[in-house]
Amino acid sequence: MPFPTATPTEIWEVCSPLEEVPIEALLERIANPYLPPASGSDMPHQAIDLADPGKGQIALAGLTVQAVLPGRVAMVLNNRFPYGNAVLVETRMEDAPESWLSTLELPEPIPTLSFIPALTCPQPTDLPDWNVNEQSVYLLYAHLRDAPTVQVEEDVGCGQALGAIGDSGNALNPHLHLEARIGPAGVRFGSLAHYDTSAAPEEMYNYCVWRVSGWFQHFDPMRLFNSP
C-alpha cells in the first residue's frame, strides 16, 4: 500500500503524546530522561518515559496515548517483553517539510549488523535489502495498558488515539515509553522481544536490529516538540 501522496507543506502539526497534557507541559512529565548509550549498547535509556512525576500531579495511568506525528503503523506488539503492548508508527521524511526536518538535527543511520557480544543476537544469513536512500522517522509507543487495536499499514493522524498508559512489559510503574529513531523507509517488524525465555530467535533478531545494529539511530524525542 502506497503512502498518501499529499504534497508536504510548511504547515506541519506535531501533537502531544498524552491527551489533556499540552506539549509545553511534557518536560515536567519526564520521569526517566533520554540518556544515549555508547554506540552498539542497549543501555541506559534510548527514549523518554512520561509519567506522573510527583504528588499533586494528575494521574497518568489510563490516560490516552496519542500519535505525535501522522504516519503509518509499522508494528504492533501484544505483550512482548520488554516493550509490552506497543505501537510503532512510521513517518516518511519525504512527507515532512524540509524546514521542520532541518531543526531536528537527526543522526545518520549506520547500516551495519555488528551486534555487541553483551546482547544475545541471532546472526542473519543475509543482510536486509532496505533502501537506505529513503528514510523515515519511527516513533515507538510502549508499555500500553491494553493490546493495541490499530493494525499494521493503518494510517494514523496527528493526535489519534493509539492506546492508554499502562505498565505492560518491563514497566515497574505506569508510564509511556516514547522512543524515536531514524532508519530506512518502509520497514515492517512482525514482532520483537528480548530478555525473556519466550522470545523467539526472529523476535530477538528484530530487537537487535532495532536497538543496536545501527540501522535505526535513536534521538531524543523531545527534539520533535522543540522544533518551530
Side-chain angles (χ1 to χ4, degrees):
M1 276 180 79
F3 266 66
T5 57
T7 303
T9 68
E10 294 304 308
I11 301 174
W12 184 249
E13 188 178 11
V14 179
C15 298
S16 171
L18 304 177
E19 185 182 39
E20 301 176 357
V21 178
I23 287 176
E24 54 269 22
L26 290 176
L27 190 61
E28 65 191 47
R29 299 287 177 185
I30 296 178
N32 193 4
Y34 172 75
L35 296 172
S39 178
S41 174
D42 198 30
M43 302 294 178
H45 200 233
Q46 303 181 23
I48 58 172
D49 289 345
L50 298 169
D52 188 347
K55 244 174 159 183
Q57 306 276 0
I58 63 170
L60 296 187
L63 193 69
T64 298
V65 173
Q66 306 176 145
V68 172
L69 299 173
R72 179 162 289 177
V73 178
M75 181 188 67
V76 172
L77 291 182
N78 187 352
N79 199 25
R80 302 304 294 141
F81 195 89
Y83 287 124
N85 299 314
V87 176
L88 180 66
V89 177
E90 175 194 12
T91 300
R92 287 186 183 255
M93 293 178 64
E94 64 185 26
D95 293 335
E98 181 60 36
S99 59
W100 180 79
L101 290 171
S102 63
T103 65
L104 298 181
E105 300 180 354
L106 295 174
E108 286 292 329
I110 307 171
T112 66
L113 288 173
S114 55
F115 302 144
I116 58 171
L119 187 63
T120 302
C121 296
Q123 294 299 316
T125 56
D126 298 303
L127 291 178
D129 58 354
W130 297 324
N131 182 4
V132 296
N133 296 319
E134 297 181 10
Q135 298 177 344
S136 291
V137 171
Y138 292 85
L139 295 182
L140 180 70
Y141 307 80
H143 306 315
L144 303 178
R145 182 184 62 189
D146 307 307
T149 58
V150 294
Q151 304 293 323
V152 174
E153 301 298 349
E154 181 178 333
D155 291 328
V156 298
C158 181
Q160 180 174 330
L162 299 176
I165 287 182
D167 57 359
S168 59
N170 70 340
L172 298 178
N173 298 291
H175 69 272
L176 171 65
H177 176 98
L178 181 62
E179 193 168 325
R181 295 180 186 269
I182 179 173
V187 175
R188 299 293 180 265
F189 292 112
S191 181
L192 53 82
H194 213 300
Y195 304 110
D196 186 82
T197 56
S198 71
E202 182 180 358
E203 292 181 304
M204 294 172 65
Y205 170 77
N206 289 341
Y207 181 89
C208 291
V209 169
W210 173 252
R211 294 280 294 194
V212 300
S213 72
W215 281 91
F216 297 87
Q217 288 290 311
H218 54 80
F219 63 93
D220 188 348
M222 289 303 293
R223 293 188 193 176
L224 300 169
F225 309 111
N226 294 330
S227 301

